[in-house]
């Protein structure tokens, strides 16, 4: 998988919030096999050298995000600060428009994406499965789209599978990463079987009874789903089809 010209070894992107301890976070990152980890500038805050040391030792690509921003200007300012703090042009762009569902604000999202792309940022926009919004984000300069599976932290999985399939078909040459709403490894595998390029998640691992074991489960599920997609899934049928041919079967007289 290549994102903004960078080869990524794993198709699982992992968030770093809400873990019970730094040690558990470090082991979950290692066990998952992820190559990209996200971090919120607001959670990092000033003087967070210990956390920066932890993520540096993980050896992963860093994807700062603008979590908690509710306007284009707030997200732009946060992205600029993140670039200074973490030394990367990668930014996961979140502009929240609805307090209950945490659905992105499509108008502010495109506005912020246009400004940040013009400033040289490699923007990873958290969006919906709306095709027109996706087109506008690509026109703004984004090379990756990150549609939600369901509201952030809900664990509902792929709530609109037909809409996501349409998005995958429409943007055939664009890297698409399912971001938000994944609650179980089976849901991550389903997204990969549909042809999505990667899955980004946080809460399902961080809040598990055993985050390290859950991180490994998600890593394996993403691998299995991608392998199944590449192998070619059998088509669904309306009726049964025998797996053993009739010809050559014994005849009872």
């Amino acid at each position: 998988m290549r994102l903004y010209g960078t080869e990524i070894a794993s198709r699982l992107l992992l968030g770093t919030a809400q873990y019970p301890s730094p040690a558990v976070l470090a082991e979950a990152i290692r066990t998952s096999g992820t190559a990209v980890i996200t971090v919120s500038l607001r959670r990092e805050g000033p003087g967070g050298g210990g956390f920066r040391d932890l993520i540096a030792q993980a050896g992963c690509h860093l994807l700062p995000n603008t979590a908690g921003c509710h306007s284009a200007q707030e997200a732009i300012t946060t992205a600029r600060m993140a670039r200074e703090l973490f030394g990367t042009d990668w930014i996961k762009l979140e502009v929240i428009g609805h307090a209950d569902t945490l659905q992105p604000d499509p108008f502010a999202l495109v506005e912020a994406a246009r400004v940040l792309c013009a400033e040289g940022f490699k923007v990873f926009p958290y969006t919906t499965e709306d095709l027109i919004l996706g087109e506008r984000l690509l026109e703004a300069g984004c090379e990756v789209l990150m549609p939600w599976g369901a509201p952030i932290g809900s664990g509902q999985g792929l709530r609109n599978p037909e809409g996501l399939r349409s998005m995958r078909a429409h943007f055939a040459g664009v890297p698409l990463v399912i971001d938000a709403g994944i609650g179980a490894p089976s849901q991550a595998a389903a997204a990969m079987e549909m042809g999505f390029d990667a899955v980004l998640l946080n809460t399902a691992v961080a809040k598990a009874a055993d985050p390290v074991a859950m991180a490994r489960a998600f890593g394996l599920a993403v691998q299995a789903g991608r392998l199944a997609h590449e192998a070619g899934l059998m088509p669904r049928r309306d009726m049964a089809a025998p797996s053993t041919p009739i010809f050559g079967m014994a005849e009872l007289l």
Side-chain angles (χ1 to χ4, degrees):
M1 180 175 64
R2 298 185 70 84
L3 301 175
Y4 284 103
T6 300
E7 187 171 326
I8 305 299
S10 170
R11 295 178 182 271
L12 174 65
L13 287 65
L14 194 63
T16 57
Q18 306 183 70
Y19 287 81
S21 72
V24 171
L25 168 59
E27 187 62 14
I29 292 172
R30 186 193 67 79
T31 304
S32 71
T34 185
V36 178
I37 54 177
T38 70
V39 59
S40 169
L41 177 63
R42 292 166 182 254
R43 188 168 69 84
E44 163 65 8
F51 181 76
R52 286 198 297 273
D53 290 342
L54 185 154
I55 59 177
Q57 292 168 9
C60 298
H61 296 274
L62 191 61
L63 180 59
N65 67 43
T66 62
C69 292
H70 292 263
S71 71
Q73 189 55 54
E74 187 180 12
I76 292 167
T77 300
T78 302
R80 290 167 176 165
M81 293 171 63
R83 179 160 62 180
E84 291 295 323
L85 181 61
F86 296 111
T88 178
D89 290 330
W90 283 22
I91 191 73
K92 179 190 172 188
L93 181 60
E94 297 182 27
V95 187
I96 300 303
H98 192 272
D100 291 333
T101 64
L102 301 182
Q103 179 173 330
D105 180 332
F107 309 102
L109 181 64
V110 173
E111 178 186 350
R114 184 175 292 113
V115 171
L116 293 174
C117 289
E119 294 183 2
F121 281 91
K122 309 298 189 296
V123 177
F124 294 70
Y126 161 62
T127 181
T128 66
E129 64 273 29
D130 185 276
L131 301 183
I132 304 304
L133 177 54
E135 292 283 6
R136 296 295 180 268
L137 289 167
L138 295 179
E139 291 170 2
C142 298
E143 297 180 12
V144 177
L145 298 175
M146 302 180 68
W148 65 350
I152 295 172
S154 68
Q156 296 178 20
L158 307 180
R159 196 165 66 168
N160 182 10
E162 292 308 315
L164 290 170
R165 286 192 182 93
S166 295
M167 188 178 196
R168 176 68 282 180
H170 185 74
F171 297 110
V174 178
L176 299 182
V177 180
I178 292 293
D179 176 20
I182 297 297
S186 57
Q187 297 167 356
M192 300 304 295
E193 289 173 357
M194 289 168 60
F196 284 87
D197 295 277
V199 171
L200 193 160
L201 55 92
N202 188 157
T203 306
V205 171
K207 289 297 187 179
D210 187 341
V212 175
M214 188 62 76
R216 182 169 184 269
F218 270 105
L220 293 172
V222 167
Q223 292 180 42
R226 181 64 185 186
L227 183 60
H229 172 72
E230 293 175 342
L233 296 168
M234 67 174 291
R236 295 182 62 177
R237 296 173 56 93
D238 293 331
M239 299 180 64
S243 56
T244 302
I246 296 176
F247 296 105
M249 294 182 65
E251 295 184 17
L252 302 179
L253 302 177

